[in-house]
Amino acid sequence: MIRLFVPGPLAGGADLALSVEQTHYLVNVMRLQPGAELLVFNGRDGEWRAVLAQAGKRGGRLAVAARTRPQQLPPDLDLVMALVKRARLETIVEKAAELGARRVRLAITRFTNADHTNVERLRAIAIEAAEQTGRLDVPEIIAPEKLGRLLAAWPPDRRLMFCDEAGDARPVLEALTGERDAPWAVLIGPEGGFASEEREKLRASSYVTAVTLGPRILRADTAAISALTLWQAAVGDWR
C-alpha cells in the first residue's frame, strides 16, 4: 500500500489537507482515485490507514481511519557527513534513511570539495526514502557546519565512530565488539580525506572510536553505506 508522510497530527476521524504536489503524486503518478486507501505517518503518531476523500487541481483531502502501527523510532544514530558533490550526497541521504539513521549532520572539513548544498532537496529525498522503506519517522537533515564547531559542541554521551582510512585503526566489527546500543554517530570524511589536525583531534577525543573500513580506498558514498551497515549489524537493530 502507498505510504505518505504528512506533517499534521494524526488521529481517527481526522481530515487532512493534501498539497498540490502530494495530490499530483497520488492521482497522476500512482493513479489513485477518490475512495482509495493509503497509509500515512508523521513521525510522531504512528502509522494510520487513510482514504483519499477528495482530489483536484488545487490539492486534495484525506480522511484518517484507524491506526495500523504505533510510533517506533530507529536506534539513536547520526550520520555526520562531510559535504561531497550533489549526486553522491543525495545518494548518501537516501541510503542513510533506508539504513535507519535518525539524523544526517552535514559537515565542512578542511578538504571538503563542495561548499554548499540544497538542504530542502535533501529533506525531500529523506521523506521519499522513509515513505518507501516503511519507517515511521523521517531522518532530520541538519544544515552544514564546520567540523571544528560541531566537535566543540559534541555531547559527551554520544559515541562517535570515526572512519579513519589513513591511520592505524581497528577493523570496524572488532572495534565495536562489546559496544552497546546507545547514542552514536558515524563520521565520514570528504573524498580528499581528513586533514592531519582533524585526525589528531578526533583520535584524542574520549568519545571517539576510530575504525577502518577495510584495505581498499572507498568513495564517500560507499564508505557511508558500509559504515552504517556494519554499525547496524554490530550495535543497532539488525541483531
Side-chain angles (χ1 to χ4, degrees):
M1 190 177 292
I2 295 169
R3 301 179 75 247
L4 190 69
F5 173 78
V6 294
L10 293 171
D15 178 57
L16 298 179
L18 292 172
S19 67
V20 173
E21 293 76 15
Q22 288 174 319
T23 306
H24 169 78
Y25 168 72
L26 293 177
V27 174
N28 298 323
V29 179
M30 303 309 298
R31 303 297 182 182
L32 295 189
Q33 298 293 325
E37 291 188 344
L38 64 153
L39 298 173
V40 294
F41 67 103
N42 62 6
R44 304 181 303 276
D45 301 321
E47 181 183 74
W48 293 73
R49 183 170 51 83
V51 175
L52 181 60
Q54 179 183 343
K57 293 182 178 180
R58 296 184 179 181
R61 307 201 73 82
L62 292 178
V64 181
R67 189 165 71 171
T68 56
R69 284 193 289 165
Q71 184 63 38
Q72 296 175 334
L73 290 174
D76 191 356
L77 174 65
D78 292 0
L79 171 63
V80 182
M81 185 69 225
L83 290 181
V84 293
K85 293 180 180 179
R86 178 181 62 82
R88 292 192 182 278
L89 188 57
E90 291 182 356
T91 297
I92 290 166
V93 168
E94 178 186 70
K95 302 311 175 187
E98 293 179 11
L99 290 167
R102 270 200 218 180
R103 303 167 202 87
V104 178
R105 298 181 180 273
L106 304 174
I108 300 170
T109 68
R110 181 176 173 186
F111 296 145
T112 294
N113 58 6
D115 57 4
H116 67 279
T117 190
N118 186 338
V119 174
E120 290 306 314
R121 166 68 179 160
L122 296 179
R123 286 173 178 154
I125 290 171
I127 289 173
E128 183 176 349
E131 290 172 341
Q132 293 177 350
T133 57
R135 63 185 288 174
L136 298 179
D137 67 313
V138 174
E140 182 181 3
I141 310 297
I142 301 173
E145 184 176 17
K146 289 187 177 180
L147 180 63
R149 185 178 301 172
L150 190 153
L151 295 178
W154 194 264
D157 64 333
R158 181 175 294 277
R159 302 289 301 165
L160 178 62
M161 189 175 94
F162 167 39
C163 298
D164 181 8
E165 297 310 304
D168 55 351
R170 290 184 294 165
V172 57
L173 291 179
E174 176 186 319
L176 292 178
T177 299
E179 294 286 359
R180 59 190 179 89
D181 181 2
W184 272 86
V186 170
L187 173 61
I188 303 293
E191 301 290 5
F194 290 97
S196 58
E197 64 270 20
E198 293 170 336
R199 292 186 58 253
E200 291 171 5
K201 180 176 178 59
L202 286 161
R203 294 292 290 263
S205 299
S206 61
Y207 54 83
V208 169
T209 298
V211 304
T212 177
L213 296 176
R216 286 165 289 280
I217 297 173
L218 304 180
R219 289 188 178 273
D221 50 346
T222 308
I225 294 167
S226 300
L228 291 173
T229 299
L230 290 167
W231 185 92
Q232 284 284 28
V235 184
D237 60 7
W238 285 18
R239 294 171 296 168

